[in-house]
């Protein structure tokens, strides 16, 4: 879940999927190397593999340090993999870099790699774009399992109306969604469509809404239809109107489906006790700041404590709850910068702390300009020249 990693919907897509939401998949690809010999004590390195890697200027010491088990395999396709990469436009430096970062690539046969190449070409403009993606995300490309599922899902996403550049982003940052059987992904989409209409959304806007939601958060597809239904029902039972539930879905970019009714209930109860508010007031706070819904109690406690330590009052936080979307470190940094300008955060508005890094810099610049601007004296004589 998001809160365990201190992630927000704004940052989640910048991180490769498998680094954030590890999912146990049956017969998963070669990247989980349980099907290969990993007993480094009883096996010797494959000399032919080592020699081939040296000829390609690959840093073998790096591979030996990080993934020595790759060097123990009896069958490897070092030169064949290098030739395919060069054929696609990779130079010697790029080939060495790819194999150093993803040495498992040499365990894939030319047939498997060419099949993956054809698959990715369905959404890449040309091989120049393809090799650039492989250089940036070698592990995603060389995860060659679930070929039929990957192909069926690519075609499904294209039929759905997703642009190819969005699908390539999914392939590199959220490859696991392509391992699902296409029927499973279709079922999740149908559940979202059905709920969108039942919550008051229109047929005319449904396609745009679904595509935007998927583009912002493809991880929705890793949830079950049941989990999606349960979370939506929890919000409705919490007295959010259909329109308000839709509003929360859009604001949270679908990340609400990584939560559970239990975690949401605990977070809301914590906020209600802290701010000493009624159910209606709590609902208004959550709509204003969905962070109160998707962050866990420990994270909310930590951030609240950090703000109180800086001398900020509960009343100030309640008036500007969005400040809880920021980590304690970011809050401390921003308060320090504003204090250097003479801005008293204890008596002023917390709005100046809010927003992205860019938003803050704009607000900071305005406060700085206001401080430096000289006061205009209407009765002072003008200094003019004849």
């Amino acid at each position: 879940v998001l809160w365990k990693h201190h992630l927000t919907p704004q940052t989640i897509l910048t991180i490769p999927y498998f680094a954030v939401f590890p999912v146990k998949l049956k017969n998963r690809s070669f990247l989980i190397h349980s099907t290969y010999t990993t007993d480094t004590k009883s096996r010797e390195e494959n000399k032919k593999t080592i020699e081939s890697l040296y000829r390609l200027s690959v840093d073998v010491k790096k591979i030996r340090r990080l993934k020595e088990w790759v060097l123990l395999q009896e069958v490897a396709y070092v030169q064949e993999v290098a030739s395919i990469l060069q054929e696609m436009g990779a130079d010697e430096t790029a080939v060495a870099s790819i194999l150093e970062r993803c040495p498992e690539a040499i365990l894939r046969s030319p047939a498997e790699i060419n099949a993956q190449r054809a698959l990715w070409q369905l959404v890449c403009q040309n091989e120049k774009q393809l090799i650039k993606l492989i250089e940036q995300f070698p592990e995603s490309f060389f995860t060659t399992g679930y070929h039929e599922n990957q192909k069926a899902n690519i075609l499904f996403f294209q039929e759905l109306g997703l642009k190819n550049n969005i699908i390539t982003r999914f392939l590199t940052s959220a490859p696991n969604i392509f391992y699902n059987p296409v029927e499973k992904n279709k079922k999740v989409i149908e559940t979202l469509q059905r709920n969108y209409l039942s919550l008051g959304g229109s047929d005319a806007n449904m396609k745009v809404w679904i595509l935007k939601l998927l583009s912002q958060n493809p991880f929705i597809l890793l949830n079950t239809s049941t989990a999606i239904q349960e979370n939506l029902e929890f919000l409705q039972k919490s007295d959010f109107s259909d329109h308000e539930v839709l509003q929360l879905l859009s604001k949270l970019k679908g990340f609400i489906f990584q939560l559970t009714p239990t975690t949401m209930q605990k977070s809301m109860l914590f906020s209600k006790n802290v701010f000493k508010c009624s159910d209606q007031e709590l609902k208004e706070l959550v709509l204003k700041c969905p962070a109160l819904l998707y962050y866990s109690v420990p994270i909310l406690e930590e951030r609240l404590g950090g703000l109180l330590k800086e001398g900020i009052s509960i009343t100030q936080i309640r008036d500007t709850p969005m400040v809880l979307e920021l980590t304690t470190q970011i809050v401390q940094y921003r308060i320090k910068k504003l204090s250097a300008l003479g801005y008293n955060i204890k008596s002023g508005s917390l709005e100046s702390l809010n927003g992205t890094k860019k938003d803050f810099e704009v607000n900071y610049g305005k406060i700085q300009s206001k401080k430096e601007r000289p006061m205009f004296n209407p009765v002072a004589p003008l200094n003019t020249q004849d």
Side-chain angles (χ1 to χ4, degrees), residues 176-242:
N176 295 52
I177 67 171
F178 293 89
Y179 306 155
N180 288 335
V182 70
E183 291 76 19
K184 194 264 183 188
N185 285 341
K186 283 182 178 179
K187 192 173 179 181
V188 171
I189 294 297
E190 286 166 4
T191 300
L192 289 169
Q193 290 172 332
R194 186 174 64 253
N195 278 287
Y196 176 77
L197 293 175
S198 70
L199 290 169
S202 68
D203 276 310
N205 294 329
M206 184 175 68
K207 183 178 178 180
V208 173
W209 185 82
I210 288 288
L211 293 181
K212 186 176 181 181
L213 202 64
L214 271 180
S215 300
Q216 292 173 329
N217 178 21
F219 311 119
I220 291 173
L221 296 171
L222 294 171
N223 294 283
T224 63
S225 300
T226 306
I228 289 172
Q229 198 68 47
E230 285 176 354
N231 282 1
L232 293 175
E233 285 174 4
F234 167 78
L235 292 174
Q236 289 173 313
K237 287 175 185 175
S238 300
D239 291 330
F240 287 97
S241 68
D242 289 350

Side-chain angles (χ1 to χ4, degrees), residues 21 62 213 273 288 376:
F21 297 109
K62 184 176 180 181
L213 202 64
N273 291 333
K288 193 175 181 182
F376 174 66

Side-chain angles (χ1 to χ4, degrees), residues 114-129:
N114 279 322
Q116 190 77 339
R117 177 183 179 180
L119 197 66
W120 282 44
Q121 282 174 332
L122 292 173
V123 289
C124 288
Q125 295 174 356
N126 48 49
E127 291 216 315
K128 185 179 179 181
Q129 184 195 10

Side-chain angles (χ1 to χ4, degrees), residues 17-279:
Y17 173 83
F18 38 77
V20 181
F21 297 109
V23 174
K24 291 182 181 178
L25 291 167
K26 204 172 181 181
N27 303 322
R28 193 179 169 186
S29 66
F30 80 102
L31 285 178
I32 292 179
H33 52 266
S34 57
T35 54
Y36 293 91
T37 302
T38 57
D39 183 359
T40 57
K41 293 179 181 178
S42 61
R43 295 287 302 278
E44 288 186 1
E45 292 180 351
N46 185 323
K47 290 182 180 179
K48 185 180 176 183
T49 298
I50 301 291
E51 290 168 3
S52 298
L53 290 169
Y54 274 130
R55 279 198 296 271
L56 292 167
S57 302
V58 173
D59 185 347
V60 176
K61 287 182 180 178
K62 184 176 180 181
I63 296 176
R64 190 175 285 128
R65 186 173 68 252
L66 299 175
K67 295 180 179 179
E68 186 182 10
W69 64 272
V70 173
L71 304 176
L72 306 179
Q73 309 311 313
E74 292 180 6
V75 179
Y77 302 91
V78 181
Q79 193 52 57
E80 293 89 339
V81 172
S83 296
I84 293 172
L85 291 172
Q86 288 166 344
E87 189 181 310
M88 284 191 275
D91 58 24
E92 184 180 325
T93 304
V95 170
S97 174
I98 289 168
L99 297 185
E100 284 168 9
R101 287 182 294 130
C102 184
E104 302 97 320
I106 66 174
L107 304 180
R108 308 318 281 166
S109 70
E112 288 173 310
I113 294 174
N114 279 322
Q116 190 77 339
R117 177 183 179 180
L119 197 66
W120 282 44
Q121 282 174 332
L122 292 173
V123 289
C124 288
Q125 295 174 356
N126 48 49
E127 291 216 315
K128 185 179 179 181
Q129 184 195 10
L130 175 55
I131 196 61
K132 188 176 178 181
L133 286 173
I134 296 172
E135 287 178 40
Q136 292 175 314
F137 308 96
E139 286 193 346
S140 295
F141 178 79
F142 288 107
T143 303
T144 58
Y146 305 97
H147 184 83
E148 290 306 315
N149 283 357
Q150 287 189 70
K151 184 174 182 180
N153 279 305
I154 286 174
L155 296 175
F156 168 59
F157 292 144
Q158 287 176 329
E159 289 169 11
L160 201 60
L162 282 170
K163 293 181 179 178
N164 284 342
N165 65 318
I166 300 294
I167 300 174
T168 57
R169 178 158 61 82
F170 290 177
L171 281 168
T172 55
S173 64
N176 295 52
I177 67 171
F178 293 89
Y179 306 155
N180 288 335
V182 70
E183 291 76 19
K184 194 264 183 188
N185 285 341
K186 283 182 178 179
K187 192 173 179 181
V188 171
I189 294 297
E190 286 166 4
T191 300
L192 289 169
Q193 290 172 332
R194 186 174 64 253
N195 278 287
Y196 176 77
L197 293 175
S198 70
L199 290 169
S202 68
D203 276 310
N205 294 329
M206 184 175 68
K207 183 178 178 180
V208 173
W209 185 82
I210 288 288
L211 293 181
K212 186 176 181 181
L213 202 64
L214 271 180
S215 300
Q216 292 173 329
N217 178 21
F219 311 119
I220 291 173
L221 296 171
L222 294 171
N223 294 283
T224 63
S225 300
T226 306
I228 289 172
Q229 198 68 47
E230 285 176 354
N231 282 1
L232 293 175
E233 285 174 4
F234 167 78
L235 292 174
Q236 289 173 313
K237 287 175 185 175
S238 300
D239 291 330
F240 287 97
S241 68
D242 289 350
H243 174 73
E244 288 167 343
V245 173
L246 266 185
Q247 192 180 332
L248 281 172
L249 283 179
S250 298
K251 280 189 176 182
L252 288 170
K253 302 178 182 178
F255 280 90
I256 192 171
F257 300 127
Q258 262 80 52
L259 306 174
T260 66
T262 303
T263 57
M264 288 189 284
Q265 189 172 33
K266 286 180 179 178
S267 296
M268 287 175 69
L269 185 59
F270 172 78
S271 297
K272 184 179 181 180
N273 291 333
V274 165
F275 296 120
K276 295 180 173 55
C277 55
S278 66
D279 289 343

